[in-house]
Amino acid sequence: MRCLRKTMNLVVAAAIALCFALIPPAALANDVPPISAYGELPEIEDAALSPSGNRIAALLTIRDTRLLVAFDENNQVISRTNVNDMKVRSFDWVGEDRLLLTYSVTENLGASFTTDKHEFSIAITIPINNSETGVAVFSNQRGLVNSIFGNYGTRQIDGRWYGFFGAIELSRGTRMGEYEFRHGRPYLYRVDLLDNSTDRVALAAETNHDNDWLIDANGDVAATFDINRENGRWTIRNSERDIIVRGQSDSARSGLIGLGYGGATVIYYDADEDGRSRRFEVPLIGGTPESFLPGITIDRLYFDAQTGHLSGHLEEGADPRPVFEDPAKAQAVSMVQSAFSEYSMRIVDWSDDLSNVIVRTTGQQDSGTWFTVDVENLSAQAFAYERRAIEPQHVGPFSTLS
C-alpha cells in the first residue's frame, strides 16, 4: 500500500480519504531508485470516465506493454486492448460499453500527389465485451478513404450513439469495382458507432474553399464555416443556410470554436485590427457579434459531450479555477480543488453530472498519481501511478518563487 504523506483539506466538514492500494511500488521504502527511473516515460498517459462515471478507461504501460484498459466501478479490469506503438491521439467513451480510439499513421502517397507522405487519422470503436473486435470507421465503405478528416463529436440519438466525422469520397474508376481519388475536401458523415453504417449529412466545400461544422444536440448541423483560401473571405451560416457573420482573414486566424451556453450562439475566433486572434460570439439567428469573455485570458473552454453546448471555462493563472454555468457543477469543482490544494492538480475528466471526476496530482512527495473522486461521498481512490519506482520520500521538495 502506498499513501500520500500529506493531509487533504476538509471539505464541507468531511475529509477526502487518500490512502489507497493499487500495485505495490517496484522500489522498497528505503531503496533509492536508479537515476533512470526519473527519466522513464509515465506508466499512465491519459484516462477518461464513462458518462455515468462508473467506468474508467486508461492508457497504461504494464510490464513494457502499452494497453488501453477499461475498469469497472470497483477498479476491476473488464477489458484490455494492446495498442503497441500506436500514435494515440485521443480516446473517449461512447456510452458505457464502447470506446472510441483515434490514432494516426504516416502513409506513403503515390506519384500523382503533391507530397510524398501524409499522416492519416484512424478512428476505431472498441467494444468492452472482448468477444467483439474493434472496427475502424469507414472501413466497410469502399467509396470512402479509410480515415477520418475531422472529428465533430458524438451524440446519443433515439438510444443509439453516432459519431460525426469528415470523410474523403472516392469516385468510381474506369474498371469495375475500382475507386479513384478525386479531391481532398471532406464531406461530413454521420456514423452509427454500433454497426458502422454511414449517412452523408453535409457536402464538401467548393474548389479552393475549406469548410468546418458544429453539430447540435440532435445531431444536425448547427453552423457551417466556409473560407475562400485564395482571398481569405469567410462566412458562418446557420442551419437555415443564412449568413450570420462574415469577414476576411487567413485561415489560420479564423474559425469555429463551439456552440455557446444553451446552444443559441456560435463562438468563433478571428483576427482584430492589429492581427491578434480574438474570440467572438454571435446568435445563431443572426445579430451583432460581441467579444467573448472580454478581459479574461482563457486557458480552455469546456463543452458538454452530449450536446456540444458550452458548459464552462478555465482561466489562465497561478491558481486556475474552472468556471461553470451550472452552480452545482461549479461547487463540485471547487470542493475537489480545495481537497487537493496542497498539490499541483488537474481535473482530467468528469461524468456527465460531475458527480465523479478524474484528478491527476504531482508535487510534494508525489511523483504523479491519478485518482477517481466520488464528489457526493467525498472520497477518492488512486487507480494509477506515473512512476511507481519513485517513492514519496524520493521526490524533491517543491517551492514557489514570485
Side-chain angles (χ1 to χ4, degrees):
M1 177 175 288
R2 174 188 181 190
C3 302
L4 290 183
R5 301 178 186 181
K6 290 286 182 180
T7 303
M8 293 296 173
N9 293 337
L10 295 180
V11 180
V12 192
I16 290 184
L18 291 178
C19 203
F20 41 78
L22 184 65
I23 303 173
L28 298 175
N30 295 322
D31 289 346
V32 177
I35 192 66
S36 60
Y38 293 86
E40 291 286 348
L41 293 175
E43 296 176 34
I44 173 171
E45 298 175 45
D46 203 358
L49 272 177
S50 67
S52 69
N54 292 330
R55 291 182 167 182
I56 310 167
L59 188 57
L60 305 170
T61 298
I62 301 174
R63 298 183 181 90
D64 297 325
T65 301
R66 198 157 165 256
L67 300 167
L68 181 60
V69 182
F71 301 89
D72 64 15
E73 61 271 20
N74 298 314
N75 277 353
Q76 299 299 309
V77 175
I78 53 177
S79 172
R80 64 179 68 196
T81 302
N82 193 326
V83 297
N84 298 315
D85 296 325
M86 283 184 181
K87 292 184 282 188
V88 176
R89 300 307 182 189
S90 67
F91 60 89
D92 208 347
W93 288 87
V94 179
E96 298 293 315
D97 300 313
R98 291 174 185 270
L99 292 167
L100 181 65
L101 169 71
T102 303
Y103 68 98
S104 63
V105 293
T106 302
E107 298 284 355
N108 293 320
L109 302 178
S112 59
F113 292 88
T114 58
T115 184
D116 294 333
K117 297 181 179 180
H118 182 77
E119 188 161 334
F120 292 89
S121 294
I122 311 295
I124 300 178
T125 55
I126 302 175
I128 297 306
N129 180 354
N130 281 326
S131 65
E132 301 180 57
T133 58
V135 179
V137 170
F138 302 139
S139 61
N140 60 342
Q141 304 292 323
R142 296 188 64 191
L144 300 175
V145 174
N146 186 13
S147 178
I148 64 170
F149 297 82
N151 184 338
Y152 297 92
T154 58
R155 299 288 184 270
Q156 186 178 26
I157 305 169
D158 297 329
R160 294 183 74 88
W161 283 91
Y162 297 90
F164 294 82
F165 306 97
I168 299 297
E169 293 187 355
L170 303 174
S171 59
R172 289 188 176 273
T174 55
R175 297 180 181 178
M176 183 176 295
E178 189 178 71
Y179 288 86
E180 298 175 347
F181 180 80
R182 182 172 45 175
H183 62 74
R185 301 187 302 278
Y187 295 75
L188 179 63
Y189 270 73
R190 184 181 78 167
V191 180
D192 188 317
L193 297 176
L194 181 62
D195 62 18
N196 216 26
S197 59
T198 63
D199 292 295
R200 184 210 281 169
V201 295
L203 295 173
E206 299 175 7
T207 303
N208 296 323
H209 284 242
D210 288 324
N211 277 0
D212 194 15
W213 300 277
L214 294 178
I215 306 300
D216 66 16
N218 298 317
D220 297 321
V221 176
T224 302
F225 176 85
D226 178 277
I227 187 166
N228 186 321
R229 293 196 302 268
E230 293 183 334
N231 56 30
R233 293 174 183 169
W234 58 263
T235 61
I236 298 177
R237 297 176 183 267
N238 60 19
S239 59
E240 304 296 326
R241 300 297 298 168
D242 296 328
I243 296 176
I244 57 176
V245 65
R246 67 177 78 218
Q248 184 170 5
S249 67
D250 63 65
S251 59
R253 290 190 285 180
S254 299
L256 297 173
I257 296 176
L259 296 174
Y261 290 120
T265 61
V266 172
I267 304 169
Y268 66 97
Y269 62 95
D270 189 28
D272 61 13
E273 296 81 0
D274 298 322
R276 296 171 298 187
S277 183
R278 292 177 54 196
R279 296 179 178 92
F280 295 89
E281 188 172 20
V282 63
L284 274 171
I285 60 173
T288 303
E290 297 182 356
S291 294
F292 178 70
L293 296 178
I296 297 176
T297 304
I298 302 171
D299 181 85
R300 70 189 66 178
L301 296 173
Y302 302 117
F303 293 92
D304 188 289
Q306 301 291 331
T307 65
H309 300 169
L310 180 69
S311 58
H313 68 273
L314 179 69
E315 297 181 25
E316 288 185 353
D319 184 26
R321 291 185 176 272
V323 177
F324 286 89
E325 182 188 35
D326 185 343
K329 290 184 177 181
Q331 181 182 16
V333 169
S334 179
M335 291 165 61
V336 172
Q337 287 190 312
S338 296
F340 290 91
S341 61
E342 294 187 23
Y343 297 87
S344 174
M345 63 86 70
R346 176 170 62 93
I347 298 178
V348 177
D349 198 13
W350 51 78
S351 59
D352 286 349
D353 60 0
L354 231 158
S355 61
N356 292 275
V357 301
I358 292 176
V359 171
R360 173 188 179 268
T361 65
T362 58
Q364 309 291 0
Q365 297 186 332
D366 182 7
S367 58
T369 308
W370 292 62
F371 297 91
T372 53
V373 181
D374 184 333
V375 178
E376 182 179 356
N377 296 314
L378 300 173
S379 62
Q381 182 179 11
F383 67 91
Y385 304 99
E386 292 185 4
R387 294 173 174 83
R388 289 179 296 117
I390 302 176
E391 284 289 281
Q393 67 270 23
H394 299 136
V395 179
F398 284 69
S399 59
T400 302
L401 300 177
S402 297

